[in-house]
Amino acid sequence: MTGTRKAVAALFLLPALVLLGALVVYPIGYSLVRSFYDQSGDGFAGFDNYRALFTDDGVRAALKNNIVWVVFAPAVSTALGLIFAVLTERVRWGTAFKLVVFMPMAISMLAAGIIFRLVYDQDPDKGVANAVWVGVHDTFAQSSAFPKAHPGRQSPLEAAGGGAFVTKEPVRAGEPVMLPLVGVAPDVMPDDAKRAAAPEAEPGKVTGTTWQDFTRGKGVGTLGGVDASELGYPGMRIEAVKDGEVVASAKAAADGTFTLPAAADGALLRLPADNFKEPYNGLEWLGPSLVTPAIIGAYVWMWAGFAMVLIAAGLAGVPRELLEAARVDGAGEWQVFRKITVPLLAPVLAVVTVTLMINVLKVFDLVFIIAPGSSQDDANVLALELYRKGFAVDQPGIASAIAVFLLLLVIPVMWFNIRRLRREVRR
């Protein structure tokens, strides 16, 4: 009877064993054998392909990035999962919040990659990350409204270096000064800009107007003169400079007019470069320096929910009497969390962290989709380098060696996880 049962069990296991052999064992064995052959597959290369893993620049960069991934991505995801699980335990809407946090797990890596490629777009009008970043920046350091403004034809202004402009001749008190500029489209002028007004002479003071001298062509508008349809440059800063020192300064009103004290008499008027600096355009999230942290951020967005659900399940099994006893003894919430909750959750936290470590060692989709071509080398990871070596540059021997190397990296982590799970079962 025992033999019959074993035969029936083997019969039921046979389809799974066949699939396991065809989809797991055979590819691993073939990759191992292929890693010892050259690119043609005919000549035995020995350990040359494995030697190339530590001499090839692409593989070395990928290995360095994989270390960054393994250190930070699981740790941040697990920490956020722990925080979410603990903080939402007592609130009425905790279940709804957990559902929202877990929802990214239902999205494929391809879709998540496309989403975050848009989130990290350099243009603040498209990319959410830069839209928020630029909004915060401009709250504390307002960008110039006139980044393209410059002197036009027959202008009394000339370049002063560093993006500033200065009058060609000194100004005199009681003689109005005209500072016409061009280059700002009428539809992007500041909202508070008003119709430009011609300056009025004031005894002992230097007065003037700075405005958008918009002339469409011959006979339309007066070059160097204020026309009815032209707007002033509100907020434009004007400095009076003598012997390289600023002796007076003023800001233009909404109609472009400004007034300087008598100290400006005989000085050159300068429009500082700050008036014309390009607007802040945010961070280059997908540039060489930030592309890996940016992609890790996308990964954390997806997997923090996974960590939260597992930790919340472990938290549900924590004896409440221990927590209440600690509170009765005078422990604060932070002490309860640090000295009771976290130690009791240590097995769950270890399983979650190790599982995510295995996952990040194989990360491919997000890096391939999010990183633009110009930064893909800087964001490279081993799984992506395997794909590039095997399909892009036709080096299957090195690609197979990378696959075996990845397997060797994953095995110790898997062994640790399985051993811990078995220990938990025995308890």
Side-chain angles (χ1 to χ4, degrees), residues 215-249:
T215 54
R216 296 180 175 81
K218 187 176 180 180
V220 181
T222 303
L223 184 63
V226 177
D227 299 317
S229 61
E230 295 171 346
L231 299 175
Y233 280 135
M236 179 73 74
R237 186 171 182 81
I238 300 97
E239 297 175 342
V241 180
K242 288 183 180 179
D243 300 323
E245 298 290 333
V246 177
V247 297
S249 65

Side-chain angles (χ1 to χ4, degrees), residues 285-321:
W285 295 101
L286 300 183
S289 58
L290 290 178
V291 63
T292 294
I295 299 174
I296 290 177
Y299 178 89
V300 170
W301 176 76
M302 292 192 68
W303 287 88
F306 168 82
M308 178 196 65
V309 169
L310 293 187
I311 294 171
L315 192 60
V318 172
R320 301 299 163 184
E321 56 270 18

Side-chain angles (χ1 to χ4, degrees), residues 10-342:
L11 186 63
F12 277 103
L13 287 174
L14 185 60
L17 293 173
V18 170
L19 287 174
L20 186 66
L23 299 179
V24 178
V25 178
Y26 173 74
I28 292 176
Y30 181 80
S31 297
L32 180 61
V33 173
R34 187 67 183 82
S35 66
F36 291 103
Y37 282 82
D38 59 18
Q39 308 315 315
S40 66
D42 299 326
F44 185 74
F47 287 94
D48 289 347
N49 291 325
Y50 290 95
R51 203 172 292 115
L53 296 183
F54 302 98
T55 57
D56 184 273
D57 291 338
V59 178
R60 290 167 64 184
L63 180 59
K64 181 188 71 173
N65 286 332
N66 261 107
I67 293 173
V68 174
W69 273 87
V70 169
V71 170
F72 290 101
V76 175
S77 299
T78 304
L80 284 177
L82 175 62
I83 292 171
F84 292 154
V86 172
L87 293 182
T88 59
E89 188 184 24
R90 299 186 193 178
V91 295
R92 297 177 59 184
W93 42 268
T95 302
F97 178 82
K98 291 176 182 177
L99 178 63
V100 172
V101 175
F102 188 74
M103 279 181 63
M105 285 295 300
I107 303 174
S108 69
M109 286 284 194
L110 173 64
I114 294 173
I115 290 171
F116 275 88
R117 184 67 180 269
L118 295 174
V119 168
Y120 292 132
D121 195 287
Q122 182 66 42
D123 186 353
D125 292 332
K126 298 178 182 178
V128 174
N130 265 342
V132 174
W133 194 263
V134 169
V136 172
H137 173 274
D138 287 352
T139 300
F140 299 97
Q142 188 65 37
S143 297
S144 168
F146 321 111
K148 303 297 183 182
H150 60 274
R153 296 171 292 155
Q154 303 174 22
S155 174
L157 294 166
E158 62 182 1
F165 301 105
V166 66
T167 54
K168 298 175 182 177
E169 301 293 338
V171 297
R172 296 298 175 188
E175 299 178 6
V177 182
M178 309 297 285
L179 301 179
L181 294 169
V182 296
V184 180
D187 58 339
V188 296
M189 286 288 287
D191 294 336
D192 58 341
K194 295 183 179 179
R195 182 177 298 176
E200 296 182 1
E202 293 187 28
K205 295 183 179 180
V206 175
T207 58
T209 297
T210 177
W211 81 103
Q212 174 77 354
D213 190 21
F214 185 68
T215 54
R216 296 180 175 81
K218 187 176 180 180
V220 181
T222 303
L223 184 63
V226 177
D227 299 317
S229 61
E230 295 171 346
L231 299 175
Y233 280 135
M236 179 73 74
R237 186 171 182 81
I238 300 97
E239 297 175 342
V241 180
K242 288 183 180 179
D243 300 323
E245 298 290 333
V246 177
V247 297
S249 65
K251 282 190 176 181
D255 59 1
T257 58
F258 61 88
T259 302
L260 292 165
D265 183 47
L268 295 174
L269 296 191
R270 181 174 65 189
L271 303 181
D274 286 349
N275 290 318
F276 313 106
K277 66 182 180 181
E278 292 289 336
Y280 183 66
N281 205 35
L283 296 176
E284 194 177 0
W285 295 101
L286 300 183
S289 58
L290 290 178
V291 63
T292 294
I295 299 174
I296 290 177
Y299 178 89
V300 170
W301 176 76
M302 292 192 68
W303 287 88
F306 168 82
M308 178 196 65
V309 169
L310 293 187
I311 294 171
L315 192 60
V318 172
R320 301 299 163 184
E321 56 270 18
L322 293 179
L323 305 180
E324 294 302 326
R327 294 188 180 101
V328 169
D329 288 341
E333 290 301 322
W334 170 246
Q335 291 177 309
V336 172
F337 172 76
R338 184 166 55 90
K339 295 186 177 181
I340 298 178
T341 304
V342 172

